[in-house]
Amino acid sequence: CTGLKGCSFEAVVLNRGSQPVHGVTFASVDVLAATSSSSSTSPVQVHIDEPGAEARVPLRAGQKLLFRGRWKVHAPFEVAPQVELSYLLHDNLRCCARLRLPLTVARLMRPAKVNGDDFLELWHSPEFAEAEVAFICPARRAFLDSGGLFLLAKCLELGGALRPLQGVDEQPQGTVLAGTYPHVHGGMGSETDVLVRAEFGAPRDDPGACRVAVRSTSYLVSRGLAHAILDMLSDCAGLPAVAA
């Protein structure tokens, strides 16, 4: 992977049935998450390479077919790119399935070098408050078991995309984290600080609920990261149309 410039990936299709299938295709789906209401360009472009000659013969039981592709990010996004797997059964009945690629804005982020005082100053600034995205969701069972709070704190780091800040949140079950999201404008690079505050057991002392607030100077970045955190934290289908 090379950040915003893109990343290559591979997908293996395995026939686990007892009958051969044919006409296997693996194609990108243009799911628009426009950067503005007037834009019709997808912020993430996915290209799937043409498969070799092996894709033109039936895929027998137990056989595999390899597809290669790559993605490139042009702007912040909230909806993960999708691909469609399609194939024909032995009776020529077509089957299709849509899959989400494991790509979120967190994949492009890195930990922010801010301290507690910097966090609080940015958090309460009007620019960050205006672009806040917040939601309340039921947490997965794994976070409710013994040691779940520690597990939640580690998972909120999203694989190192966010850095936890100790001693900032006064709530004993609260966690604050900070990261940066890179932008590219005409070859020039810039970064947006992104702040996260999660409170377990809120609101109304519900032990199974978690409230998460994401703030930055970009509403699209805030919303994209909120989606990534929600996918990790809960089984909910997605953010409401307008998260507040």
Side-chain angles (χ1 to χ4, degrees):
C1 293
T2 54
L4 291 174
K5 295 182 180 180
C7 182
S8 299
F9 64 89
E10 294 182 347
V12 177
V13 178
L14 169 65
N15 183 359
R16 302 189 66 177
S18 59
Q19 299 291 333
V21 299
H22 58 100
V24 181
T25 61
F26 196 72
S28 62
V29 179
D30 189 15
V31 179
L32 294 181
T35 56
S36 69
S37 58
S38 60
S39 174
S40 60
T41 302
S42 176
V44 183
Q45 289 184 341
V46 179
H47 175 80
I48 307 296
D49 296 335
E50 289 291 333
E54 64 274 11
R56 293 189 286 272
V57 298
L59 186 66
R60 303 187 181 278
Q63 287 186 331
K64 298 178 181 180
L65 184 59
L66 176 66
F67 290 90
R68 291 185 172 91
R70 56 189 179 274
W71 54 256
K72 185 176 182 180
V73 177
H74 300 279
F77 61 95
E78 61 176 87
V79 179
Q82 297 183 9
V83 293
E84 183 174 86
L85 171 65
S86 176
Y87 57 91
L88 296 173
L89 299 175
H90 64 282
D91 58 359
N92 284 334
L93 178 65
R94 180 167 295 279
C95 296
C96 298
R98 283 196 176 187
L99 311 170
R100 287 194 308 168
L101 293 178
L103 172 64
T104 69
V105 295
R107 181 71 176 269
L108 308 174
M109 294 177 59
R110 64 178 184 178
K113 298 178 180 179
V114 299
N115 56 35
D117 292 337
D118 294 335
F119 181 96
L120 294 175
E121 181 179 354
L122 293 173
W123 184 265
H124 294 293
S125 66
E127 295 82 4
F128 276 72
E130 289 176 1
E132 178 185 89
V133 175
F135 63 89
I136 299 171
C137 68
R140 299 184 190 273
R141 174 171 290 275
F143 300 126
L144 303 178
D145 296 336
S146 177
L149 193 60
F150 174 79
L151 177 63
L152 173 63
K154 295 300 295 181
C155 288
L156 283 171
E157 296 178 23
L158 298 178
L162 299 172
R163 184 171 72 90
L165 300 176
Q166 306 298 329
V168 178
D169 199 319
E170 298 178 353
Q171 300 296 326
Q173 293 186 314
T175 301
V176 299
L177 308 98
T180 60
Y181 179 87
H183 297 275
V184 174
H185 302 287
M188 300 297 291
S190 63
E191 293 183 334
T192 294
D193 288 325
V194 188
L195 311 178
V196 177
R197 183 178 185 271
E199 185 179 357
F200 210 41
R204 296 182 295 276
D205 296 325
D206 182 352
C210 186
R211 184 183 188 277
V212 177
V214 182
R215 293 186 180 184
S216 73
T217 55
S218 168
Y219 179 74
L220 284 170
V221 172
S222 296
R223 192 166 175 85
L225 185 59
H227 268 279
I229 294 175
L230 181 64
D231 281 344
M232 175 278 299
L233 184 60
S234 177
D235 293 320
C236 292
L239 293 174
V242 178

